[in-house]
Amino acid sequence: QSALTQPASVSGSPGQSITISCTGTNSDVGAYNYVSWFQQHPGKAPKLMIHDVSGRPSGVSSRFSGSKSDNTASLTISGLQAEDEADYYCSSYIGSSTVIFGGGTKLTVL
Amino acid sequence: QVQMVQSGAEVKKPGASVKVSCKASGYAFTMNYIHWVRQAPGQGLEWMGWINPNSGATNSAQKFQGRATLTRDTSINTAYMELSGLTYDDTAVYYCARGIMTTTPMLSPWGQGTLVNVSS
């Protein structure tokens, strides 16, 4: 099973919105509504930002939202802030009680 | 608050084994799966497997089957990941994370990570 496909990098200016895509197949992203997004700052552990495609854990800013269309999930960050600069990873359930991650996307706030 | 605290960094020689611990607190240990994820230097996240602390049942990514052993000790709320036959490619930070919804990737919180350095 290959990793989910994410763009290597995205960038945006403060206040703008950006979207990070996560492309899989009809055996993973397309088959289940179990897609999560994680934020990871350098040298830190990942943090859950979105679960089950569009669910937002308590304490996560409403500027973060998730969606899915066919085999592609997306993370949108609105009102970009300097503190959002980090690596972002998507993850999907792929059946047989297993999980897979995307390759990660580096977000730069200009 | 819910916390996952991992054991300290390890240096191992090729061919050796390493055992990383993950102590959970702030919730009922047997109620949530614990997943293991690793991250090689400068690379992305790689899912390794999970353990159900209640039953001891485990499941691993095919890549790690036969080489990674997941166990737990419910008396001290601690999960373990042992990786055998280490190679230089196993140099990575190893994370444990609470699986809020069993086998799905709803993972939170994560441990602080344990660096395993495979070096001769």
Side-chain angles (χ1 to χ4, degrees):
Chain A
Q1 180 85 34
S2 300
L4 305 174
T5 301
Q6 297 182 232
S9 63
V10 299
S11 62
S13 299
Q16 287 186 330
S17 293
I18 63 95
T19 295
I20 300 172
S21 62
C22 170
T23 302
T25 69
N26 54 17
S27 296
D28 40 62
V29 174
Y32 307 97
N33 287 323
Y34 295 129
V35 175
S36 294
W37 289 91
F38 300 90
Q39 176 190 66
Q40 186 180 35
H41 287 110
K44 300 295 186 181
K47 175 186 176 183
L48 179 68
M49 305 301 284
I50 296 289
H51 63 85
D52 300 341
V53 176
S54 59
R56 196 168 49 245
S58 173
V60 172
S61 171
S62 58
R63 298 185 298 104
F64 291 83
S65 62
S67 62
K68 189 184 85 166
S69 177
D70 296 329
N71 298 336
T72 297
S74 298
L75 172 71
T76 298
I77 308 174
S78 59
L80 210 55
Q81 298 179 1
E83 68 206 47
D84 299 332
E85 184 162 296
D87 293 327
Y88 291 84
Y89 293 91
C90 64
S91 180
S92 176
Y93 179 75
I94 59 172
S96 301
S97 300
T98 57
V99 166
I100 196 168
F101 282 92
T105 298
K106 181 177 180 60
L107 169 62
T108 300
V109 179
L110 302 171
Chain B
Q1 75 282 23
V2 177
Q3 266 191 309
M4 317 294 280
V5 178
Q6 300 182 220
S7 49
E10 303 261 12
V11 179
K12 295 292 182 181
K13 294 191 184 306
S17 297
V18 67
K19 191 171 186 177
V20 178
S21 69
C22 170
K23 184 172 177 61
S25 62
Y27 73 99
F29 179 66
T30 56
M31 292 296 289
N32 296 115
Y33 286 31
I34 290 181
H35 292 241
W36 290 89
V37 177
R38 76 177 186 179
Q39 185 171 37
Q43 303 300 309
L45 302 174
E46 181 176 29
W47 183 79
M48 298 182 69
W50 54 253
I51 182 168
N52 176 348
N54 186 46
S55 66
T58 63
N59 193 24
S60 302
Q62 193 167 11
K63 173 177 181 177
F64 298 104
Q65 287 177 9
R67 207 160 69 87
T69 303
L70 306 182
T71 57
R72 91 296 189 209
D73 184 338
T74 57
S75 69
I76 56 173
N77 294 351
T78 300
Y80 302 91
M81 187 286 299
E82 183 170 20
L83 191 62
S84 62
L86 292 171
T87 71
Y88 297 116
D89 289 343
D90 292 316
T91 293
V93 175
Y94 289 77
Y95 294 101
C96 65
R98 182 182 69 153
I100 297 176
M101 288 296 291
T102 61
T103 61
T104 73
M106 189 175 173
L107 308 179
S108 181
W110 293 53
Q112 83 276 21
T114 297
L115 174 63
V116 175
N117 186 7
V118 182
S119 172
S120 57

